[in-house]
């Protein structure tokens, strides 16, 4: 098709910056297939809080890797890499271009740079650590990690139980300091030329307003009801990784009586802003990104035109 190293386009950016609409524009131009890079949108029934495109939208703009896991299941970065790599090969075989779009930036890193070789999750060990978390609390487990691995503990917040449990699980399974294992040279299996497009808003106040408006739409569309329905179906999901997603975690605080509804909304908006800040920080640390300001007119057209020029150049070089 386009030489030994076939092309992919990555469409990245902070939450609420317009990635979904831009991906739809790419799809409308032909030859692009969409792969979702979103750790929360993989879960069935978690629609409102993940800002998942609705069924009509997905019917017109199908995305791979949306709605294929139940919330009680885990979905790791390693599984994403395996699934995405297989999809990329299939899309290339059909003569199309993969467009990877989403905001789970660690998945992009894992796919393009590879993952350190870490032990697979152990269900019994996970249950043991989850019980310890419930009995002792986040801070005590974070203190334990700080004694074992101060470097990694400095990068994991005490209120991030998923990463905290994983770090302690790695240590207990291997006896090796987790940061040492993570520092071993990762190897990516992705042999592709990659164009990395970042959508951003140069006016931070506008991004904050967009985040607030979208969060309020989620609330009005039934975010609290969605969370309550999920827990009614499976009460144990209150402690699942899926329910620790931004928006769900804050809604759960209200449902379980830890705060008022208005406080939950304020906390959810603040957490989403913090997420956007972390995403932008990560993106600025990466090399080779092409930044497109969404405050500019026709930014989707600009992004697509850029990709077409890049793809044309790749074709010429492969001839």
């Amino acid at each position: 098709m386009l030489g030994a190293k076939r092309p992919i386009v990555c469409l990245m950016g902070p939450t609420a910056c317009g990635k979904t609409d831009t991906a739809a524009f790419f799809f409308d131009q032909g030859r692009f297939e969409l792969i979702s890079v979103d750790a929360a949108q993989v879960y069935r029934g978690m629609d409102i809080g993940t800002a998942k495109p609705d069924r009509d939208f997905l019917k017109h703009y199908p995305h791979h890797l949306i709605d294929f896991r139940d919330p009680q299941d885990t979905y790791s970065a390693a599984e994403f890499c395996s699934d995405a790599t297989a999809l990329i090969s299939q899309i290339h075989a059909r003569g199309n271009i993969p467009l990877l779009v989403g905001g789970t930036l660690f998945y992009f890193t894992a796919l393009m740079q590879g993952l350190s070789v870490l032990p697979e999750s152990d269900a019994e060990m996970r249950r043991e650590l989850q019980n310890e978390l419930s009995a002792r609390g986040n801070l005590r487990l974070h203190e334990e990690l700080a004694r074992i691995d101060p470097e990694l503990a400095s990068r994991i917040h005490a209120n991030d139980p998923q990463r905290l449990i994983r770090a302690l699980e790695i240590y207990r399974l291997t006896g090796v300091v987790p940061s040492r294992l993570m520092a071993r040279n990762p190897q990516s299996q992705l042999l592709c030329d990659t164009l990395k497009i970042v959508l951003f808003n140069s006016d931070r106040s506008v991004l904050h307003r967009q985040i607030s408006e979208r969060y309020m739409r989620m609330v009005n569309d039934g975010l609290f009801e969605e969370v309550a329905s999920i827990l009614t179906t499976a009460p144990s999901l209150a402690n699942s990784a899926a329910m620790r997603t931004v928006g769900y975690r804050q809604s759960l605080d209200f449902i379980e009586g830890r705060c008022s509804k208005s406080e939950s909304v304020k906390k959810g908006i603040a957490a989403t802003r913090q997420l956007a800040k972390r995403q932008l920080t990560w993106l600025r640390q990466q090399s080779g990104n092409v930044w497109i300001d969404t405050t500019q007119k026709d930014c989707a057209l600009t992004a697509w035109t850029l990709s077409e020029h890049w793809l044309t150049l790749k074709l010429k070089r492969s001839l």
Side-chain angles (χ1 to χ4, degrees):
M1 178 184 159
L2 292 174
K5 293 185 72 174
R6 295 183 173 182
I8 64 172
V9 177
C10 296
L11 186 61
M12 303 177 288
T15 187
C17 72
K19 297 183 293 293
T20 299
D21 288 342
T22 302
F25 183 90
F26 272 70
F27 186 89
D28 282 337
Q29 313 315 308
R31 77 169 172 167
F32 284 95
E33 290 190 42
L34 310 181
I35 299 176
S36 172
V37 187
D38 191 300
Q41 291 186 1
V42 302
Y43 295 116
R44 303 181 188 97
M46 294 180 61
D47 303 328
I48 297 171
T50 63
K52 188 182 297 177
D54 63 33
R55 291 182 179 179
D56 287 341
F57 186 94
L58 291 174
K59 183 177 180 180
H60 290 94
Y61 302 102
H63 288 55
H64 299 285
L65 301 185
I66 282 184
D67 276 344
F68 69 102
R69 288 291 178 96
D70 292 321
Q72 59 265 35
D73 298 332
T74 58
Y75 188 64
S76 68
E79 289 174 299
F80 167 79
C81 290
S82 176
D83 291 341
T85 300
L87 284 166
I88 287 168
S89 295
Q90 294 163 17
I91 291 168
H92 282 147
R94 290 191 284 269
N96 294 327
I97 307 296
L99 177 67
L100 288 87
V101 54
T104 302
L105 303 179
F106 180 60
Y107 280 9
F108 281 111
T109 299
L111 183 64
M112 291 183 280
Q113 299 178 16
L115 285 166
S116 302
V117 179
L118 300 174
E120 293 185 3
S121 181
D122 181 273
E124 184 175 348
M125 180 67 71
R126 278 290 171 109
R127 283 193 296 271
E128 179 182 318
L129 284 164
Q130 189 64 59
N131 290 337
E132 288 186 36
L133 181 72
S134 299
R136 299 169 58 195
N138 293 10
L139 288 176
R140 295 294 296 275
L141 261 65
H142 192 268
E143 289 170 0
E144 179 181 338
L145 179 62
R147 290 193 297 271
I148 295 166
D149 192 343
E151 178 186 344
L152 185 57
S154 69
R155 304 201 305 264
I156 296 179
H157 196 281
N159 291 331
D160 189 348
Q162 183 176 3
R163 294 180 66 200
L164 185 58
I165 285 176
R166 177 56 176 157
L168 290 171
E169 177 189 38
I170 291 169
Y171 179 73
R172 294 187 187 184
L173 288 173
T174 66
V176 179
V177 173
S179 61
R180 292 180 186 171
L181 285 176
M182 295 174 181
R184 293 177 181 174
N185 294 332
Q187 296 293 324
S188 173
Q189 301 301 312
L190 185 67
L191 301 176
C192 294
D193 281 325
T194 306
L195 173 63
K196 298 185 292 182
I197 299 174
V198 176
L199 302 183
F200 78 107
N201 194 310
S202 58
D203 187 337
R204 188 66 60 86
S205 65
V206 173
L207 177 61
H208 286 177
R209 186 179 71 245
Q210 290 171 338
I211 287 172
S212 297
E213 290 174 349
R214 190 179 73 170
Y215 200 92
M216 292 309 303
R217 284 197 301 272
M218 290 178 180
V219 171
N220 293 332
D221 288 343
L223 173 59
F224 291 108
E225 292 79 3
E226 179 176 80
V227 175
S229 176
I230 291 171
L231 295 179
T232 298
T233 304
S236 62
L237 289 179
N239 296 316
S240 68
M243 294 304 291
R244 289 193 286 271
T245 304
V246 170
Y248 288 90
R249 184 169 64 248
Q250 291 74 26
S251 299
L252 191 61
D253 284 343
F254 164 65
I255 290 170
E256 295 189 337
R258 289 186 288 272
C259 68
S260 68
K261 188 172 185 177
S262 62
E263 288 171 334
S264 171
V265 171
K266 289 178 182 178
K267 288 165 62 176
I269 291 172
T272 308
R273 288 182 178 180
Q274 286 299 312
L275 171 61
K277 182 179 180 180
R278 291 195 301 272
Q279 289 170 320
L280 285 167
T281 298
W282 183 92
L283 287 163
R284 292 191 189 102
Q285 293 171 347
Q286 308 305 306
S287 61
N289 293 339
V290 181
W291 295 72
I292 294 179
D293 190 345
T294 58
T295 63
Q296 304 301 312
K297 184 180 180 181
D298 298 327
C299 67
L301 175 61
T302 300
W304 175 79
T305 302
L306 170 68
S307 73
E308 286 300 296
H309 289 164
W310 181 78
L311 289 167
T312 299
L313 180 61
K314 292 297 174 186
L315 177 60
K316 287 181 180 178
R317 288 179 177 176
S318 68
L319 296 177

